[in-house]
Amino acid sequence: MRRAVALTLAGLWWERLAAAFWAAATWGLLGLAALALGLVALIPPGALGWVSALWLLVLAALALWGWARFRRPSRRDAALRVDRRLAGRPLSVLGDRMALGGPDAAVLWQAHQAAARAAAARVRPVAPDAALVRRDPFALRLVALTALAMALIFGGAARVGRGVGALAAGGRPSAPADQPVATGPAWEGWAEPPRHTGRPVIYLNTLEADALTVPQGTNFNLRLYGQGLSVAQDIGPADAQAAPEAPRYTAQQDGTLTVGGRSFAVTVLPDAPPQVWLAALAGRRADGRLAQGFSAEDDHGIAAGAATITLDLAAVDRRPGLAPDPEPREALQLDLPLPASGQRRRVSATLSADLARHPWANLPVRMTLSVRDGIEQAAETPATALILPGRRFFDPLAAGIAEMRRDLLWSRDNAPRSARLLRAMVWRSDRTLPPEAAQAIAGAVQGLESGPLSTDARDTLADALWDAALLIEDGGLGDALERMRQAQQRLAEAIRNGASPDEIQKLMDALRQATDDYTRMLAERGEDPSARFDRSEQQGRQITGDQIQQMMDEIQRLMNEGRMAEAQELLDQFNQMMDNLQVREGEGGGSSSPGGRSMDRLRETLRDQQRLADDVLREAQRDPFGEAPGEGGAPGEGEGEDGQPSLADRQRDLRAEIGRQQGLLPGRGTEQGDAASDRLDDAGRAMAEAERALREGDAAGALERQAAAIESLREGMRALSDLSRGEQGQQGESGTPQPGQGDTPGPQGSPRAGGGEGFAPFAPGRDPLGRETAGQGGNIATGEPLADTERRAGRARELQDEIRRRSGDSERPRAERDYLGRLLERF
């Protein structure tokens, strides 16, 4: 306890001294720092005495102010401070004496004293607190301490003593007589490498060795301070404009530099020329942008680079519109993207440019990449032939307008021809054009027929035709894509610049809305983004709407957690993924071709028909008395439960949908196209008979006709697939894909009984077990081919035994047992 009180008392002394005299101590430390740093020499001699007197006066005033505030601490003050930190004030209890009470009270008092001694045994010293942070809010005391420390390091204590002596004598501090006057070197030299190398300047006087390796073009700058100093060198030419006392030499070859009696062996590293390579040639992208990968390297870094694109006139198909000689145009010059900071010794990047509107888009060109380094050494790639990527139009009218625009930009001699063809394109058109597009086409025709066109007039008409083609092709889709890109760029910039959470959340919501608008417009056009676009040309992986939303949700989560670096990286991947979307051109089953879109619609109709057949069979099982599906629960005609369409109405809607799709089938006049149309005719008739059977209450008959409609739909899809493959030159020897190889749906959606225990109804041309009556077939329910004759026979026996077992089960509904009996009779 005594030790704790003594330490606390020492802390009290420091606390009260610091609180009273911190200002005087700070002023004194600043004066000592000024003496040690030699700042006294800056004061004029006449004012030195007055400054010294003023400093001493302020110091005395601060000391007196502190003395008036100082209170000498006592041991009692320290004991009270320690006691206040303990529960029950045990130190005060130990100093108390019992005044009243008998023997019983004495026992209680002793217990009280024992508890106080036990508490006092745990006493600890109290740390002092002078509250200097509150008293000195500007931290002047720390400034004074730092200044004195720096003064002692660089000036030394001896300099402080000399300064005090000089002040006492009323003069300036001076060096002692026995100290020699410092003198500088007789010469100095610097080796300054070229700026593009990124290497630091070398001070020759501090080099320990006499060997030096520098890049080619390094400047040796010398400063000679004495007479009679000679310089000898054979490393390169001297600067003729340099002064004699400051010669300058440029290192071009190995040699020796001798100055002031010291020689340096200089080794010059030659500057190698840069190199550049093209990556895989740019492919076609959905937005028509050029995205050309390249790699370049240089020993000191690439200074600049450019891509030069010229028209390959010899490779152009000089069909009508391109037959005249093209008007002369300058070669396209595009700067290569290089890192704004960091090293450029090895660069792998992608040249991206929007050339969709350029007159050479979708035409043969030759591309050359060139780079140069810091000393203007250059390298370039051989001229490479490629088709300049451009926007593709799939709407026939939009494609025709874009072609007329290209012909006009190719040569103004095509103006009359373009006007006639534009008139023919819109004459008696059975489609309604967007008002802006129709107005632009009419204005373009009038301008083309008005007479010779100037360059500006030609470009204005070309822009109008381009906008009209975009309106017809995209219907505003291009604007939605541009809004999505702008939202991506704004969000990435906000993350890089450290925007506030509210700003980032607002930009994230804008990006989500723009992406939703873009994908919704694709859906309104009957296109699925996953079918229209490919994310990877090599792997063929597709983007789905769910994947887009999942990636955006992950970006949102990372930003909410404050992981901005990871969010920025994922956003860059998202931007790159959306930028690299590629049009799927002509892939069988893909939605980017007319055949692919028709296949998608037929596939959806087939799934709806299969679901309808499942519902009919399920309702038939729920009605054991064979009544019409519309009686006693599931309506066959009229309005169904909860206002839903009846089974018959659903069948009527599917038949109407088949009629609409039949009018949109491609390949009219071809064998496969006519075959697909005939099969849809068969499916429509079967659906009409199924609808009539549903309205008459004949569930079994409706199931048979629905099975026939399903089979006709599948055969129509096979014919449509043959048409798509034939257009791509990929048709096999037989020309007809086997069922189950991806052209028809698999097991999902096939009509089955409720609970998975029923079988698909049979179809014409096949037995109840899915075997074709002629040749080898596949299972009608799964669409999968049977392996061989023995396997088919074994599978047929298994199915036959299972049908017999179920038909003999008296607990099954009568409608199902009658259906299974008809299957056995047919078998």
mmCIF file of all heavy atoms in Angstrom, residues 450-470:
data_model
loop_
_atom_site.group_PDB
_atom_site.id
_atom_site.type_symbol
_atom_site.label_atom_id
_atom_site.label_comp_id
_atom_site.label_asym_id
_atom_site.label_seq_id
_atom_site.Cartn_x
_atom_site.Cartn_y
_atom_site.Cartn_z
ATOM 1 N N SER A 450 -32.886 14.244 -105.369
ATOM 2 C CA SER A 450 -32.847 15.695 -105.577
ATOM 3 C C SER A 450 -31.710 16.133 -106.477
ATOM 4 O O SER A 450 -31.712 17.260 -106.949
ATOM 5 C CB SER A 450 -32.731 16.408 -104.230
ATOM 6 O OG SER A 450 -31.513 16.042 -103.580
ATOM 7 N N GLY A 451 -30.726 15.286 -106.718
ATOM 8 C CA GLY A 451 -29.629 15.671 -107.581
ATOM 9 C C GLY A 451 -28.292 15.338 -106.972
ATOM 10 O O GLY A 451 -28.207 14.557 -106.013
ATOM 11 N N PRO A 452 -27.204 15.901 -107.506
ATOM 12 C CA PRO A 452 -25.873 15.584 -106.971
ATOM 13 C C PRO A 452 -25.790 15.910 -105.482
ATOM 14 O O PRO A 452 -26.314 16.919 -105.017
ATOM 15 C CB PRO A 452 -24.932 16.483 -107.802
ATOM 16 C CG PRO A 452 -25.697 16.790 -109.047
ATOM 17 C CD PRO A 452 -27.139 16.840 -108.650
ATOM 18 N N LEU A 453 -25.112 15.032 -104.760
ATOM 19 C CA LEU A 453 -24.999 15.161 -103.308
ATOM 20 C C LEU A 453 -23.619 15.647 -102.924
ATOM 21 O O LEU A 453 -22.612 15.184 -103.471
ATOM 22 C CB LEU A 453 -25.260 13.813 -102.630
ATOM 23 C CG LEU A 453 -26.649 13.192 -102.808
ATOM 24 C CD1 LEU A 453 -26.679 11.800 -102.185
ATOM 25 C CD2 LEU A 453 -27.702 14.077 -102.171
ATOM 26 N N SER A 454 -23.598 16.558 -101.990
ATOM 27 C CA SER A 454 -22.316 16.946 -101.397
ATOM 28 C C SER A 454 -21.907 15.908 -100.364
ATOM 29 O O SER A 454 -22.686 15.005 -99.996
ATOM 30 C CB SER A 454 -22.437 18.325 -100.740
ATOM 31 O OG SER A 454 -23.355 18.277 -99.650
ATOM 32 N N THR A 455 -20.690 16.042 -99.893
ATOM 33 C CA THR A 455 -20.207 15.081 -98.896
ATOM 34 C C THR A 455 -21.035 15.154 -97.618
ATOM 35 O O THR A 455 -21.434 14.120 -97.052
ATOM 36 C CB THR A 455 -18.726 15.351 -98.583
ATOM 37 O OG1 THR A 455 -17.967 15.258 -99.789
ATOM 38 C CG2 THR A 455 -18.200 14.332 -97.578
ATOM 39 N N ASP A 456 -21.337 16.357 -97.171
ATOM 40 C CA ASP A 456 -22.125 16.503 -95.947
ATOM 41 C C ASP A 456 -23.536 15.971 -96.136
ATOM 42 O O ASP A 456 -24.089 15.315 -95.233
ATOM 43 C CB ASP A 456 -22.169 17.968 -95.520
ATOM 44 C CG ASP A 456 -20.810 18.487 -95.084
ATOM 45 O OD1 ASP A 456 -19.953 17.639 -94.741
ATOM 46 O OD2 ASP A 456 -20.594 19.715 -95.088
ATOM 47 N N ALA A 457 -24.145 16.251 -97.294
ATOM 48 C CA ALA A 457 -25.498 15.749 -97.538
ATOM 49 C C ALA A 457 -25.520 14.229 -97.597
ATOM 50 O O ALA A 457 -26.445 13.580 -97.083
ATOM 51 C CB ALA A 457 -26.036 16.341 -98.841
ATOM 52 N N ARG A 458 -24.500 13.659 -98.226
ATOM 53 C CA ARG A 458 -24.419 12.195 -98.273
ATOM 54 C C ARG A 458 -24.323 11.609 -96.870
ATOM 55 O O ARG A 458 -25.017 10.637 -96.535
ATOM 56 C CB ARG A 458 -23.207 11.772 -99.097
ATOM 57 C CG ARG A 458 -22.984 10.273 -99.152
ATOM 58 C CD ARG A 458 -21.562 9.959 -99.505
ATOM 59 N NE ARG A 458 -20.639 10.462 -98.486
ATOM 60 C CZ ARG A 458 -19.313 10.467 -98.630
ATOM 61 N NH1 ARG A 458 -18.764 10.031 -99.752
ATOM 62 N NH2 ARG A 458 -18.548 10.932 -97.658
ATOM 63 N N ASP A 459 -23.470 12.178 -96.035
ATOM 64 C CA ASP A 459 -23.309 11.646 -94.677
ATOM 65 C C ASP A 459 -24.584 11.818 -93.860
ATOM 66 O O ASP A 459 -24.933 10.946 -93.060
ATOM 67 C CB ASP A 459 -22.139 12.360 -93.988
ATOM 68 C CG ASP A 459 -20.804 12.047 -94.646
ATOM 69 O OD1 ASP A 459 -20.735 11.034 -95.376
ATOM 70 O OD2 ASP A 459 -19.841 12.807 -94.431
ATOM 71 N N THR A 460 -25.299 12.929 -94.068
ATOM 72 C CA THR A 460 -26.549 13.133 -93.335
ATOM 73 C C THR A 460 -27.586 12.090 -93.727
ATOM 74 O O THR A 460 -28.285 11.518 -92.871
ATOM 75 C CB THR A 460 -27.089 14.544 -93.601
ATOM 76 O OG1 THR A 460 -26.113 15.514 -93.193
ATOM 77 C CG2 THR A 460 -28.385 14.780 -92.852
ATOM 78 N N LEU A 461 -27.712 11.811 -95.024
ATOM 79 C CA LEU A 461 -28.654 10.787 -95.482
ATOM 80 C C LEU A 461 -28.247 9.409 -94.971
ATOM 81 O O LEU A 461 -29.110 8.596 -94.595
ATOM 82 C CB LEU A 461 -28.722 10.787 -97.016
ATOM 83 C CG LEU A 461 -29.365 12.013 -97.662
ATOM 84 C CD1 LEU A 461 -29.310 11.895 -99.175
ATOM 85 C CD2 LEU A 461 -30.804 12.171 -97.200
ATOM 86 N N ALA A 462 -26.956 9.136 -94.941
ATOM 87 C CA ALA A 462 -26.490 7.838 -94.442
ATOM 88 C C ALA A 462 -26.838 7.663 -92.968
ATOM 89 O O ALA A 462 -27.260 6.572 -92.541
ATOM 90 C CB ALA A 462 -24.982 7.708 -94.658
ATOM 91 N N ASP A 463 -26.695 8.731 -92.192
ATOM 92 C CA ASP A 463 -27.058 8.642 -90.772
ATOM 93 C C ASP A 463 -28.552 8.399 -90.598
ATOM 94 O O ASP A 463 -28.978 7.626 -89.735
ATOM 95 C CB ASP A 463 -26.646 9.931 -90.047
ATOM 96 C CG ASP A 463 -25.136 10.080 -89.941
ATOM 97 O OD1 ASP A 463 -24.437 9.054 -90.076
ATOM 98 O OD2 ASP A 463 -24.666 11.216 -89.725
ATOM 99 N N ALA A 464 -29.365 9.052 -91.420
ATOM 100 C CA ALA A 464 -30.814 8.858 -91.325
ATOM 101 C C ALA A 464 -31.196 7.422 -91.673
ATOM 102 O O ALA A 464 -32.055 6.814 -91.015
ATOM 103 C CB ALA A 464 -31.528 9.849 -92.240
ATOM 104 N N LEU A 465 -30.580 6.858 -92.706
ATOM 105 C CA LEU A 465 -30.883 5.477 -93.079
ATOM 106 C C LEU A 465 -30.431 4.506 -91.988
ATOM 107 O O LEU A 465 -31.103 3.496 -91.722
ATOM 108 C CB LEU A 465 -30.203 5.140 -94.409
ATOM 109 C CG LEU A 465 -30.772 5.829 -95.645
ATOM 110 C CD1 LEU A 465 -29.934 5.505 -96.872
ATOM 111 C CD2 LEU A 465 -32.225 5.411 -95.877
ATOM 112 N N TRP A 466 -29.296 4.784 -91.364
ATOM 113 C CA TRP A 466 -28.817 3.908 -90.281
ATOM 114 C C TRP A 466 -29.790 3.921 -89.098
ATOM 115 O O TRP A 466 -30.137 2.864 -88.558
ATOM 116 C CB TRP A 466 -27.437 4.365 -89.841
ATOM 117 C CG TRP A 466 -26.871 3.560 -88.716
ATOM 118 C CD1 TRP A 466 -26.928 3.849 -87.388
ATOM 119 C CD2 TRP A 466 -26.183 2.315 -88.813
ATOM 120 N NE1 TRP A 466 -26.321 2.875 -86.651
ATOM 121 C CE2 TRP A 466 -25.845 1.912 -87.504
ATOM 122 C CE3 TRP A 466 -25.807 1.496 -89.870
ATOM 123 C CZ2 TRP A 466 -25.160 0.739 -87.235
ATOM 124 C CZ3 TRP A 466 -25.119 0.322 -89.609
ATOM 125 C CH2 TRP A 466 -24.802 -0.046 -88.311
ATOM 126 N N ASP A 467 -30.254 5.108 -88.745
ATOM 127 C CA ASP A 467 -31.199 5.193 -87.632
ATOM 128 C C ASP A 467 -32.503 4.471 -87.968
ATOM 129 O O ASP A 467 -33.107 3.816 -87.103
ATOM 130 C CB ASP A 467 -31.478 6.656 -87.299
ATOM 131 C CG ASP A 467 -30.245 7.375 -86.762
ATOM 132 O OD1 ASP A 467 -29.334 6.682 -86.271
ATOM 133 O OD2 ASP A 467 -30.182 8.625 -86.842
ATOM 134 N N ALA A 468 -32.942 4.583 -89.208
ATOM 135 C CA ALA A 468 -34.165 3.883 -89.601
ATOM 136 C C ALA A 468 -33.980 2.370 -89.526
ATOM 137 O O ALA A 468 -34.875 1.644 -89.064
ATOM 138 C CB ALA A 468 -34.568 4.303 -91.016
ATOM 139 N N ALA A 469 -32.839 1.871 -89.975
ATOM 140 C CA ALA A 469 -32.587 0.429 -89.904
ATOM 141 C C ALA A 469 -32.553 -0.056 -88.459
ATOM 142 O O ALA A 469 -33.073 -1.135 -88.145
ATOM 143 C CB ALA A 469 -31.271 0.100 -90.610
ATOM 144 N N LEU A 470 -31.959 0.742 -87.575
ATOM 145 C CA LEU A 470 -31.923 0.345 -86.160
ATOM 146 C C LEU A 470 -33.325 0.324 -85.561
ATOM 147 O O LEU A 470 -33.656 -0.584 -84.784
ATOM 148 C CB LEU A 470 -31.034 1.316 -85.372
ATOM 149 C CG LEU A 470 -29.525 1.203 -85.576
ATOM 150 C CD1 LEU A 470 -28.814 2.235 -84.709
ATOM 151 C CD2 LEU A 470 -29.026 -0.192 -85.246
#
